Amino acid sequence: MVKGMVKNLFKLLLVTPILLLLVCVNFYVDTRGLFQGGQFERELAAKLHEGKAISNFQKLDERQILRLYIKEMKTPYDTLVIGSSRGLQITAAIAGADGTFYNAGMTGEDYYDVVGTVGLLHSYGRLPKNMVMVLDPWILSAQPDAKNKRSDKNLANRFLTETLGFDEPYTEESFQWNTEALVAPDYFQTNMAYFFSDHSEEERPSEVTGDIYAQETEIKMADGTLLYTEEYRNQVQQEVDHDAQLRATMPFMMCGFYPQPDSKLCKQFTAMVDFLQENGVEITFLLTPFHPDLYARVESHMDTEGGVVYSESFFYALAQEKNIPIYGSYNPERANCDREDFYDGLHIRRESISKFFRGIDTELV
């Protein structure tokens, strides 16, 4: 009997190094991003933490990058900006922010993205001291076209249910597949092949060299902001107006049928604001305007797109109720902006933001 036990122990000792090699390679190389996120997304998040400006990132998963970035934050930041690409021009200087700063905006951010980002910050203990919330009108729309296919509904619903007390369907994250993949020989072969192959021709995030303001591609700055190409920043006004006029011929972006804000989403958003304030976060609301030709479409389609106007009224009323500083408007005239203040139909020029946003109200910080 003892001889048999020794024999089995010897076999186990022989197998253990192989098993450890399998686990280490599958976990750390992880070509499918099962354990640590996508290869290039990890690389980009790490470079941003190193203070690098990055190009060649457009095909990567912005939401995964943000999740990885938040996970690797050493401490809560002093100021964080959340919102869609319509807020990605807000720098620390524009926000009037001191200390650590990051713009966590992402392209096409929807309601689930907003809630999910707050949920992530909470789960990692990284809620900031100040949060500038760049609020788009469609985040209060319950219509399918107001939701981005790339957003994580499950992440948002989990936070809404477990933390805010709402009853939204979500599934617990399962680690069964990941556990199996750790010791899967076929995944090991895939990872080993990738590790020893030549990746010099792959399109991957690149550190910017030379004059950062004269690049031919968009740049993800270390503070999370987006720098458009020199050509895009310097478009003639006719091209800018044409973009807005073309968009105005179609249903309003993510607001195709949006007569008014959804009452349930308004309630949930209010609860999230209460949660942030209860956790010591100083909030600032910011509404960035649309190009005059595009906003004119809303005013002429109030029966189907009036939610754009009414959502602004909701945000202003909520700000007054909760004593939250609020700046800007979707209406360019109210925001003191004209057509010359835009890159295109949707995005305000960086240098024009100061026309309606004077930065964090330091008296409330």
Side-chain angles (χ1 to χ4, degrees):
M1 181 178 178
V2 174
K3 184 177 180 181
M5 291 177 62
V6 172
K7 187 175 181 180
N8 289 336
L9 180 60
F10 181 72
K11 289 180 179 179
L12 180 62
L13 291 174
L14 288 176
V15 171
T16 298
I18 299 174
L19 185 61
L20 286 175
L21 177 64
L22 217 68
V23 170
C24 288
V25 169
N26 287 348
F27 183 81
Y28 287 106
V29 179
D30 193 21
T31 54
R32 299 176 193 167
L34 300 176
F35 307 104
Q36 304 182 79
Q39 288 272 345
F40 294 161
E41 282 80 3
R42 277 182 278 161
E43 185 177 319
L44 195 153
K47 288 182 181 297
L48 291 174
H49 272 294
E50 293 170 4
K52 308 292 186 181
I54 306 297
S55 63
N56 200 33
F57 63 90
Q58 289 84 352
K59 295 181 180 180
L60 302 185
D61 186 341
E62 289 180 274
R63 285 144 182 84
Q64 187 178 145
I65 292 167
L66 180 59
R67 186 167 193 160
L68 291 166
Y69 187 92
I70 292 173
K71 182 179 179 181
E72 295 304 319
M73 289 169 63
K74 303 302 182 185
T75 58
Y77 280 14
D78 292 304
T79 304
L80 206 72
V81 178
I82 67 171
S84 71
S85 61
R86 289 174 15 86
L88 279 175
Q89 299 302 311
I90 300 172
T91 63
I94 291 174
D98 295 322
T100 49
F101 171 91
Y102 189 72
N103 191 316
M106 63 185 83
T107 305
E109 186 165 62
D110 67 4
Y111 176 75
Y112 295 131
D113 286 321
V114 173
V115 176
T117 298
V118 172
L120 277 176
L121 291 165
H122 170 61
S123 66
Y124 286 115
R126 295 295 180 263
L127 287 172
K129 180 180 178 182
N130 304 292
M131 180 178 287
V132 179
M133 304 184 76
V134 183
L135 303 171
D136 288 307
W138 52 77
I139 66 171
L140 298 179
S141 172
Q143 296 300 315
D145 65 349
K147 303 298 183 288
N148 194 313
K149 294 180 180 179
R150 297 167 293 182
S151 63
D152 192 339
K153 180 179 180 180
N154 196 67
L155 175 66
N157 282 351
R158 181 173 183 171
F159 175 70
L160 287 168
T161 300
E162 292 189 353
T163 304
L164 300 187
F166 293 95
D167 185 17
E168 295 292 343
Y170 73 95
T171 57
E172 292 286 353
E173 294 184 3
S174 173
F175 295 95
Q176 180 178 2
W177 160 242
N178 290 6
T179 303
E180 293 174 355
L182 273 177
V183 294
D186 58 339
Y187 195 40
F188 174 79
Q189 291 176 346
T190 299
N191 286 323
M192 289 295 288
Y194 178 85
F195 184 79
F196 286 107
S197 61
D198 179 15
H199 307 295
S200 60
E201 299 300 319
E202 291 183 353
E203 291 190 15
R204 63 193 308 147
S206 307
E207 293 182 25
V208 177
T209 58
D211 185 353
I212 199 168
Y213 292 100
Q215 302 293 317
E216 296 181 356
T217 61
E218 293 181 349
I219 306 299
K220 184 75 169 176
M221 304 295 281
D223 64 357
T225 58
L226 178 68
L227 180 65
Y228 290 116
T229 65
E230 185 176 27
E231 179 182 11
Y232 201 77
R233 299 196 309 271
N234 297 325
Q235 287 185 101
V236 298
Q237 191 60 46
Q238 184 179 2
E239 293 175 338
V240 175
D241 294 343
H242 176 72
D243 177 85
Q245 291 158 7
L246 182 61
R247 292 177 185 274
T249 65
M250 301 176 284
F252 201 86
M253 180 181 176
M254 299 179 77
C255 300
F257 181 74
Y258 185 29
Q260 60 184 9
D262 181 78
S263 59
K264 185 178 81 168
L265 296 184
C266 289
K267 183 178 180 180
Q268 291 180 347
F269 182 84
T270 301
M272 183 179 68
V273 167
D274 288 339
F275 169 82
L276 288 170
Q277 291 186 318
E278 289 166 3
N279 280 270
V281 179
E282 297 287 353
I283 304 170
T284 298
F285 285 171
L286 180 61
L287 280 58
T288 59
F290 295 99
H291 186 286
D293 292 340
L294 183 56
Y295 189 77
R297 177 195 163 82
V298 173
E299 295 180 313
S300 63
H301 291 76
M302 287 294 291
D303 56 333
T304 57
E305 298 171 5
V308 174
V309 176
Y310 300 135
S311 61
E312 177 170 328
S313 299
F314 170 80
F315 291 134
Y316 265 86
L318 182 63
Q320 183 176 18
E321 177 187 346
K322 305 296 182 181
N323 195 29
I324 296 172
I326 183 169
Y327 302 95
S329 171
Y330 303 135
N331 184 336
E333 183 177 355
R334 185 177 178 186
N336 196 33
C337 292
D338 204 345
R339 59 187 66 248
E340 291 81 10
D341 293 306
F342 294 84
Y343 291 122
D344 53 34
L346 297 171
H347 300 99
I348 190 76
R349 297 184 69 87
R350 180 173 297 193
E351 60 270 23
S352 298
I353 298 175
S354 60
K355 288 188 172 185
F356 54 88
F357 179 42
R358 61 186 176 88
I360 297 170
D361 192 337
T362 53
E363 293 181 1
L364 296 179
V365 175

